[in-house]
Amino acid sequence: MTSSPTPATRTKVLLVDDHDLIRKGLRHAFERDRQFEVVGEAATAAEGVRQAGALQPDVVIMDLRLPDGSGLEATRALRKSSASMGIVVLTMYAGDDQLFGALEAGASAFVPKTAPADEVVAAARHAASSPSAFTAADLAEAMKRRLAPSGPQLSPREGQVLRLLADGMSVAGIAKQLFVSESTAKTHISKLYEKLGAANRAQALMTALRLGLLEAPDAPKF
C-alpha cells in the first residue's frame, strides 16, 4: 500500500497559543495532514504578530486570550497587514461576544478549544482557501440570537390587557371588554406580570413604559 503523495505546495501554518500542550496537540494534528506544514509557534500576541510578518504563513491559528494581550487585537493587526492570510481564532470562551468579536476583527474562522483537532484543521483549510469568508459552527444560531428582539415579547391578547391596565380598568372591566370570564382575565394579567417581571399593576406599567411597550400619556389620568 502506497502513501498519498505530498502536495507540491503545502499550506504553511503558524500556531499562536500560550499553552505548550495545546500547541503540541495542534502540531500533531496538522502534521498528520500532508496538506499542511507547521512553520512556527508563538506563546504571546506580540511574538505571533512578529513571526507572522517574518514567516508569512498561509494560516495563523490564534488563541483568543494570551499573556500579553488579546488575540483579537493581534488578529486585527494581522488582517490590516494582509488580506490573504487565513486566521483561525481558537478559544476556551466560545460565547456570542467572542464569536462576533472574531468576525469583526477579520478572522476567517472561529473554533472552540473543546472541538476535536480535526475541526481546527478543517477551519484552517477553509481559512487558507477563503480568508475573507468567516465560518463558525454556531454562526447561524448566534445570528438568530443577535437579531432576535430584546425584551419580553407580548402576545396580541397580552398587549390588549396591558393597554386596558394602563387605562385603569379593573379585572371585571377587562373581562367584560375582552368578552372573557374574570378567571381568564386574571390568567392573562398574571402571565403579563410574569413576562414583565412585575408583582403588581404599577410595576407592570412602569416596566412597559421603560421597554417601549406603552407610550407615555400626555397628561396623567384622574
Side-chain angles (χ1 to χ4, degrees):
M1 180 177 178
T2 60
S3 60
S4 57
T6 301
T9 304
R10 301 173 78 180
T11 301
K12 297 183 294 181
V13 178
L14 171 65
L15 306 176
V16 184
D17 195 294
D18 59 325
H19 293 95
D20 184 58
L21 284 176
I22 289 177
R23 293 200 310 274
K24 284 182 178 178
L26 289 172
R27 175 180 280 275
H28 180 65
F30 280 110
E31 286 177 345
R32 289 201 312 263
D33 191 313
R34 291 175 176 270
Q35 177 185 338
F36 296 97
E37 176 188 6
V38 177
V39 295
E41 296 183 17
T44 66
E47 181 64 12
V49 171
R50 188 194 71 76
Q51 285 206 40
L55 299 171
Q56 291 297 302
D58 302 299
V59 178
V60 176
I61 309 298
M62 178 69 68
D63 188 13
L64 185 68
R65 296 185 69 172
L66 294 160
D68 61 336
S70 167
L72 294 184
E73 290 302 321
T75 295
R76 288 189 185 92
L78 293 177
R79 180 55 69 225
K80 186 175 181 180
S81 66
S82 172
S84 61
M85 184 179 294
I87 307 169
V88 177
V89 169
L90 192 65
T91 177
M92 285 293 295
Y93 309 92
D96 287 357
D97 288 346
Q98 289 77 21
L99 187 153
F100 287 114
L103 170 62
E104 291 158 5
S108 314
F110 177 87
V111 183
K113 285 186 177 179
T114 53
D118 288 348
E119 284 190 25
V120 182
V121 174
R125 188 173 288 108
H126 159 84
S129 61
S130 304
S132 61
F134 183 78
T135 186
D138 194 38
L139 180 59
E141 290 302 315
M143 289 296 294
K144 288 180 185 178
R145 289 190 290 271
R146 171 166 280 201
L147 296 174
S150 59
Q153 303 303 300
L154 304 185
S155 69
R157 177 64 87 189
E158 288 163 347
Q160 285 181 297
V161 171
L162 177 62
R163 288 187 291 275
L164 294 174
L165 287 172
D167 287 339
M169 278 197 179
S170 65
V171 174
I174 291 173
K176 185 176 180 180
Q177 183 75 23
L178 299 180
F179 303 101
V180 299
S181 68
E182 288 191 26
S183 175
T184 300
K186 287 180 180 178
T187 298
H188 289 317
I189 293 169
S190 176
K191 288 182 178 178
L192 176 64
Y193 286 1
E194 184 179 349
K195 282 191 176 182
L196 296 176
N200 53 48
R201 181 190 300 244
Q203 288 182 10
L205 296 181
M206 289 298 294
T207 300
L209 285 168
R210 179 171 54 81
L211 295 174
L213 299 173
L214 278 176
E215 292 185 7
D218 294 330
K221 296 186 178 182
F222 297 99

